[in-house]
């Protein structure tokens, strides 16, 4: 980000710094980094706290001054950040970009299923209320894995490659990745997006099995095997950040 200043001295650092912003106290998580040369400030995902990085030789007073100088920027960004949307009865959650309403079924057996509703499909979750968050999250991950595995294997067969493994993560910075050993990793949150977006990310990471860089040959390959690349990229740019709000809250620690 564009805001920075150089560190001047070293002291024992707190875990958090509290600042008063727009009429309320905002908690900023402190992250020391011996390799950093400047103070930096980054927003956490929805439901998480912002993070200030303090370089070697930095101080909590220096970090506080840095935060105060950039308080307008932080307030503006926080006001635009999607509000955390924990999974709870009545909450609307997109599945493959189709709105579903969460319905709690405490007296029924099973885990999660989809049933018809008056205005939209219902994600019915059985069991005790305290297990609803975990059960729905597990179900969404299973759905994501099924869709991703199908898309990955189709694209891998098309260009004659084979991933060594497929894993699901919840990274705030990357929707997918490909390791040097051929392991493809994806955000489970792709199950919330339109199917074309999940499909594109599968094609993108499979293409890395042939071209590890993001050079011209890589993008030619992606566009050749996935004709909705530009559409999916545009959707992620416009709406991707909002997907990180679902299932997050301090109450559940996600």
């Amino acid at each position: 980000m564009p805001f920075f200043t150089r560190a001047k001295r070293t002291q024992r650092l707190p875990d958090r710094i509290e600042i008063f912003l727009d009429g309320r106290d905002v908690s900023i998580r402190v992250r020391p980094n011996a390799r950093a040369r400047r103070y930096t400030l980054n927003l956490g995902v929805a439901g998480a706290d912002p993070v200030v990085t303090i370089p070697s030789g930095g101080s909590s007073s220096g970090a506080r001054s840095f935060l105060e100088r950039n308080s307008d920027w932080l307030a503006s960004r926080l006001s635009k950040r999607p509000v955390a949307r924990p999974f709870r009865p009545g909450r609307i959650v997109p599945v493959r970009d189709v709105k579903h309403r969460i319905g709690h079924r405490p007296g029924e057996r099973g885990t999660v299923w989809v049933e018809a509703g008056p205005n939209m499909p219902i994600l019915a979750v059985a069991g005790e209320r305290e297990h609803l968050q975990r059960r729905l999250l597990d179900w969404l991950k299973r759905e994501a894995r099924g869709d991703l595995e199908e898309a990955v294997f189709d694209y891998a067969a098309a260009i004659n490659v084979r991933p060594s493994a497929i894993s699901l993560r919840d990274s705030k910075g990357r929707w997918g990745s490909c390791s040097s050993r051929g392991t493809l990793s994806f955000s489970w949150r792709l199950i919330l997006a339109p199917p074309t977006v999940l499909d594109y990310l599968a094609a993108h990471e499979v293409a890395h099995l042939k071209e590890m860089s993001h050079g011209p040959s890589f993008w030619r390959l992606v566009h050749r095997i996935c004709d909705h690349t530009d559409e999916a990229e545009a959707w992620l740019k416009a709406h991707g950040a909002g997907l990180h709000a679902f299932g997050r809250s301090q109450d559940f620690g996600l």
Side-chain angles (χ1 to χ4, degrees):
M1 58 166 290
F3 308 118
F4 65 87
T5 187
R6 293 189 179 277
K8 294 183 178 180
R9 63 189 180 89
T10 303
Q11 69 173 40
R12 187 173 181 177
L13 300 174
D15 293 330
R16 293 177 178 274
I17 295 175
E18 303 286 335
I19 65 171
F20 193 70
L21 195 66
D22 281 355
R24 65 188 179 97
D25 290 323
V26 176
S27 180
I28 313 294
R29 187 160 58 89
V30 172
R31 181 173 61 192
N33 186 337
R35 293 184 295 178
R37 301 186 64 182
R38 301 175 177 87
Y39 294 99
T40 59
L41 175 61
N42 294 290
L43 293 179
V45 295
D49 294 327
V51 179
V52 60
T53 297
I54 301 181
S56 176
S59 66
S60 59
S61 60
R64 182 176 293 279
S65 296
F66 167 74
L67 291 170
E68 290 173 352
R69 289 196 301 275
N70 296 298
S71 60
D72 289 344
W73 179 90
L74 180 59
S76 175
R77 291 303 179 93
L78 287 176
S79 69
K80 297 175 182 177
R81 190 171 66 173
V83 177
R85 298 171 180 266
F87 295 144
R88 58 180 55 153
R91 175 80 71 195
I92 295 176
V93 178
V95 180
R96 301 180 182 92
D97 201 35
V98 175
K99 291 180 180 180
H100 290 61
R101 190 180 300 277
I102 298 174
H104 187 206
R105 303 291 185 266
E108 300 188 31
R109 293 185 177 183
T111 54
V112 179
W113 62 93
V114 178
E115 60 185 43
N119 300 312
M120 64 185 69
I122 294 175
L123 287 172
V125 185
E128 299 297 325
R129 171 66 178 84
E130 62 188 20
H131 302 309
L132 183 147
Q133 172 87 2
R134 177 185 55 80
R135 287 191 170 192
L136 183 51
L137 180 59
D138 289 345
W139 183 84
L140 289 167
K141 287 181 177 180
R142 287 195 297 272
E143 294 294 301
R145 176 173 288 279
D147 286 8
L148 283 163
E149 287 182 347
E150 180 179 359
V152 163
F153 293 141
D154 284 348
Y155 282 117
I159 62 173
N160 196 29
V161 295
R162 185 179 180 87
S164 60
I166 298 173
S167 67
L168 294 184
R169 297 183 180 180
D170 192 13
S171 172
K172 69 176 183 179
R174 306 179 73 177
W175 295 107
S177 64
C178 175
S179 75
S180 59
R181 295 185 177 182
T183 297
L184 305 186
S185 298
F186 298 93
S187 170
W188 68 264
R189 295 177 184 277
L190 291 171
I191 195 61
L192 309 176
T196 52
V197 173
L198 180 147
D199 185 81
Y200 156 67
L201 261 298
H204 184 114
E205 300 310 330
V206 166
H208 276 310
L209 295 173
K210 275 191 175 292
E211 301 283 348
M212 285 300 292
S213 72
H214 283 97
S217 57
F218 167 80
W219 286 111
R220 283 195 297 270
L221 176 59
V222 173
H223 281 276
R224 178 169 65 82
I225 63 176
C226 180
D227 60 7
H228 45 272
T229 291
D230 292 340
E231 172 190 346
E233 286 272 2
W235 192 95
L236 283 171
K237 184 177 180 179
H239 307 290
L243 300 185
H244 290 290
F246 291 99
R248 294 191 184 278
S249 76
Q250 293 181 351
D251 294 338
F252 292 102
L254 291 178

